[in-house]
Amino acid sequence: MSEKIALMIKKQTRMLRDRAKERINKHTNWNLQKPVTSWIAEDRLHDEMGYEFTIIFRTCACSWARSDDAGCTMCGYFNDKGPDSILQSQILDQLQYAISKHLKKLDEIQKEGKKTTIKFFSSGSFLDNEEFRPETRIEIIKQVVNLPSIHNILAETRPEFVKEDSLKSLMAVCNEKPLELGIGMESSNDYVREILINKGFSSQNLKDSIKIAHKCGVLVKTYLLLKPPFLNEKTAIRDAVQSIKDAVTWGADSISLNPVNIQAFTLAELLFNHQKYRSPWIYSVISVFQKALTQEILDRVLILCSPSAAGKERGVHNCHDKACNSTWLKIMNEFISTQNMDIIDPKNLPYEECSCWGEYNLFLERSPI
Amino acid sequence: MSFRLDILAEDGVARLCSLNNKAMEIKVKTPIAVLPIIDYLLDNDHYAYLLKQQNIVYMTSSPDQTIPISQENHLIFQYSKTNYYTSDLRPEPLLPAQVSENTTHFFSKTCPSSMLHDEFAVEWYTQFFQEIIKEIEEEPQKIEKMNGFGVVMNFHDLRNPDILLNLIESFVSNPLIYNNIVALKIDGLFDKKMDYTSSVDTFLRLKKLFPADLLYIASGLILPYEYAFLINLGFDAIDLSYLLHTGYFGLYYRHEEGMEWVRKLHSIEEFACNCEECDVVRELLTEFSVISDIPSFYTNFALHNLRCGLMEIERVRKNIQRGSLSTYLERKSQLSLLLLSALRHIQKNYPSIFNSTQSLNKETSLPCTTPLSYHNPNVEQYRQKLRHNVEPRPNTKICIFLPCSMGKPYSKSKSHRNFIKIIKNAAKKWYKYISEVIITSPLGIVPREIEEVFPAAHYDISVTGDWDAEELQLTSREIVDWIKKLPHNVKIIAYLHGGYQKAFELAMQIIESEEKSTITYSIPSNIDEFSDAIIHSLEELTKQETSGRIGDSLSNEEQSIKMIADFQFGTGAGTALIGSAARFLQSRNDNIKTINGFESHGKLQLGRYLRSSGHITLNYQGGERLSEQPGIAVTLNTADISGTTIFKPGIEHVDEGLCAGDECVILGPNSEYLGVGSLVVRSETYSRMRRGAVVKIRKLKKEGE
């Protein structure tokens, strides 16, 4: 029975993906020497506060989104893809561009005595040989590993690319610096992940790849999705809480909770435009942390949450009041940076400050979406 | 343990039911408000106070939600838990582990939470229905213990809800569902105000699929001014959640005027309401100048809105009790174009559902305030009955058309007392050959004999003397039909003026064009001419008839009884009832006249005539005389009855067209006469209900009779 639902979701996603492709194909003046974007910002590291140096490469896109299965229902990173004919040398150029742009800042950080995580995002998989050839990967790591203040390296990948040999070859050039793999687990529930998100891998695949990574001495960061399309707020909280607990038992070293933000040419956007979907509330994020986390978990696992478009209509937000959104985002960020449960203790939170707390409670109980 | 729904009375399609829960001894009456239990609000005193009200039902969003102990003496509607699918793609159970004594469980599915498109929705509902049936099949004892369940259907993001009807039909036809379903919550069907009329169509079609004794709950984006309309469609309960939501959005319900943004209400004076919440707001506003500084400010608006909703439901219930829902609805529709068009839509497209189900056994006043009233169901039903059931007196020689009067019944008004005096003086012994017919809008015509029946003595209309085209057309149609029924050679005198005259002349034109023959009539312009016209007509008459005694021998009083009985029970009923002779006897109560036959020295009671409603209630003998009358019988499947009520299982057949409150004759399995009673539900409801009372017995054949 669920297959028909899954097929409809897949079909709709594919249609949207084709529309996105049409638009991307109109682009002619790519600047393939530059990455999509790169930045340095404050971030919580495993033991302390530090910085993140993020580079988003423009590649030939995620293998799952390229395929006939059309990708995930909430992911619009496909829109940042480059031409299929992109060269590996151009990817290295992108890296050089980002490094030269931020080298000064990295030096300053080193002088401060802080540490930096370097993050390679490609809106796809770092370990996918189509996107990054093995020699490109090694070259990239070689170039960044000795940059000032760099403490560890994070790359994102789908679990099917986590192979022992490729990981070992990377570890060899990491120069003893920890390597972390970010894997989009989204939910521990297979129905939610495979049918509602159309993610295309099972829990077993994920557990296996975590095992392989750990065997090679690579850390694993799992991304969990808060409120995927087709879950209402209450179910979404329940799902996220369960997923955090499961991710901990499956051996994740850090967990990043990602509230859905609405990206172009996705199913989430389609539902959003028809008022059939509302991006999650910040209250829900806090609520998930309150319900799922214990001190014991926090001691073992790093909990992260850095939502995109936070406070905006299309991202995680409460009401239209800017003050309310910024108050609650501040609380959330404070919790992430200190990893201290006291901060999200209901007794310490200013629930009654904004009228939307009442609205949220009603929404939670009564709204079908 | 769920509730049992008993239909107590019906007003058209709307109805008054009671929800009984024997285990907890809870009894409430519909239309009823369904109030969501919001944990967040439970600390609020005002909310707690509202929850203590008698005529409400609680709704909880999951079985886990705790209900404060003080509120255990209310019915509770409870949703399934938030549910999705396990990792092996199996649905999570919808049924809770345990259901408390006063709780009705509602099957609800929360995942996937929104419909991608209509095809998706079909698939979604197919799964949902299969899951319900599977769970019921697996746990029959649990269902039996629950004593019925509800189902939540969500229409809010469907483009065309009609595509689900086939699916729903096959779902309901499953005996497990049909026998056990007690409530249906319809979410979001009336959300799209642009497609309001098609939503109405969908609902009426949906209703046909379900048994009649089902509790319909309306939910979604509906505001209090719509309640009367929805209840008129057949909803029994309204979910007030949306009113709470609106309060938190910053919307303030301004009673009849709809919603207004709070931020646009600047000063204290603008809260034109005296409820406790508004008092709180007024006090707060004197302390704080900026609205957003006030803590839990919006809660007050939410509760104010809630109060408005509760009040409106009370009002609608009162109106159903009185039988005046249709006029209340007309008044409401003046405040909203949405309702106006919806009401016109149902008047135009569903006369068989809304008009022919109206009982005329009422005493309420019927103010006709708008053009909508021309097609008020009571009015339409009156016209229908007049057209089909009532014949003019067979001995009519002169037919006088008179204008209506302000005072009702007409004969009590000053002008009509005068008319009657003139006619009597002019006619003398020929008076019984004169029939008087009163022309009026919107009823059309009212023969003098039935001037006391509802709504002839109960309607009122603002008279300016100007008649609009629709009034003229409707009224002239009635006049035409009446004149066609009159015997040949009847003299017609129309003492009319203004609009009445116009309508009459229009009728004459219609007859001329239809019958291809002219009718002679006179329109006297003043009282003297009127009197002369009667005398003149009589002279002609006496010339023709030399014997002096013509045809029928019934007296005026007998004619009146006969015509009232005809109107109420159908053509021929009057003759059957009074036989060769009968008379009215004024009872000690001013409101009641008894109808006595001439047998047993004039003391054989046939029935009682209630002057306040113009309605005859039959006696045992009266019923016996009408036992052959078609269309008023309830046939039982057993002759052995006791008690005062007959329930669905004892009944074989209820004649079509009978409405709730109508008199009926009770027949045994071999069509033998058993007694008389009045109907609790209309015949159409009877045919679709599963259990419950159908007839209230008044008189039954005694042992040995």
Side-chain angles (χ1 to χ4, degrees), chain B residues 220-264:
Chain B
L221 314 184
I222 42 180
L223 289 177
Y225 64 78
E226 293 165 59
Y227 292 174
F229 180 75
L230 293 178
I231 289 166
N232 187 45
L233 284 184
F235 278 106
D236 302 298
I238 309 275
D239 178 9
L240 301 184
S241 314
Y242 178 60
L243 288 181
L244 280 175
H245 274 280
T246 52
Y248 287 106
F249 295 156
L251 284 162
Y252 180 83
Y253 188 69
R254 284 286 277 266
H255 295 272
E256 316 278 74
E257 293 151 40
M259 285 287 180
E260 198 161 347
W261 288 103
V262 173
R263 58 185 151 79
K264 286 189 180 167

Side-chain angles (χ1 to χ4, degrees), chain B residues 76-119:
Chain B
I76 298 168
F77 295 166
Q78 152 202 292
Y79 271 31
S80 300
K81 252 166 76 168
T82 56
N83 46 64
Y84 53 149
Y85 290 75
T86 53
S87 276
D88 46 1
L89 308 192
R90 260 197 304 220
E92 290 185 343
L94 300 163
L95 277 172
Q98 211 175 351
V99 175
S100 62
E101 286 286 293
N102 52 349
T103 303
T104 309
H105 181 76
F106 278 69
F107 284 103
S108 70
K109 185 172 151 98
T110 58
C111 171
S113 65
S114 45
M115 313 298 171
L116 195 55
H117 39 60
D118 286 1
E119 205 185 318

Side-chain angles (χ1 to χ4, degrees), chain B residues 161-203:
Chain B
D162 286 0
I163 54 164
L164 293 180
L165 290 178
N166 286 337
L167 204 60
I168 294 173
E169 188 174 5
S170 67
F171 169 64
V172 180
S173 60
N174 186 322
L176 280 174
I177 304 298
Y178 190 87
N179 295 331
N180 289 315
I181 188 167
V182 293
L184 180 69
K185 185 162 181 284
I186 294 178
D187 255 348
L189 182 58
F190 294 90
D191 280 9
K192 284 187 215 130
K193 305 300 178 196
M194 301 297 286
D195 301 338
Y196 212 70
T197 51
S198 64
S199 302
V200 171
D201 298 341
T202 305
F203 177 65

Side-chain angles (χ1 to χ4, degrees), chain B residues 355-373:
Chain B
N355 297 347
S356 54
T357 55
Q358 276 292 340
S359 166
L360 294 184
N361 180 10
K362 289 175 187 166
E363 297 180 8
T364 177
S365 68
L366 186 81
C368 299
T369 47
T370 74
L372 276 174
S373 312

Side-chain angles (χ1 to χ4, degrees), chain A residues 1-2 4-5 8-9 12 188-192 195-196 230-232 234-235 238-239 267 270-271 274 276 352 355 357-359 361-363 365-366 368-369, chain B residues 36 38 40 59 61 65 79 82-87 89 92 110-117 119-120 123 127 130 154 156-157 159 241 244-245 248-249 298:
Chain A
M1 282 318 295
S2 305
K4 278 190 190 167
I5 294 259
M8 279 181 213
I9 292 176
Q12 192 72 40
S188 64
N189 184 304
D190 277 351
Y191 179 82
V192 174
I195 292 178
L196 301 185
F230 301 114
L231 284 192
N232 66 7
K234 205 169 180 183
T235 323
R238 205 187 124 197
D239 182 58
L267 198 65
L270 185 88
L271 293 174
H274 288 89
K276 296 174 185 178
E352 294 300 333
S355 68
W357 170 240
E359 192 188 334
N361 273 288
L362 269 158
F363 185 88
E365 296 297 334
R366 300 251 64 92
I369 53 168
Chain B
I38 308 292
Y40 161 72
M59 168 146 349
S61 58
Q65 202 171 0
Y79 271 31
T82 56
N83 46 64
Y84 53 149
Y85 290 75
T86 53
S87 276
L89 308 192
E92 290 185 343
T110 58
C111 171
S113 65
S114 45
M115 313 298 171
L116 195 55
H117 39 60
E119 205 185 318
F120 188 92
E123 196 52 43
Q127 280 193 27
Q130 278 177 1
N154 196 339
H156 87 280
D157 49 9
R159 202 163 281 184
S241 314
L244 280 175
H245 274 280
Y248 287 106
F249 295 156
Y298 286 89

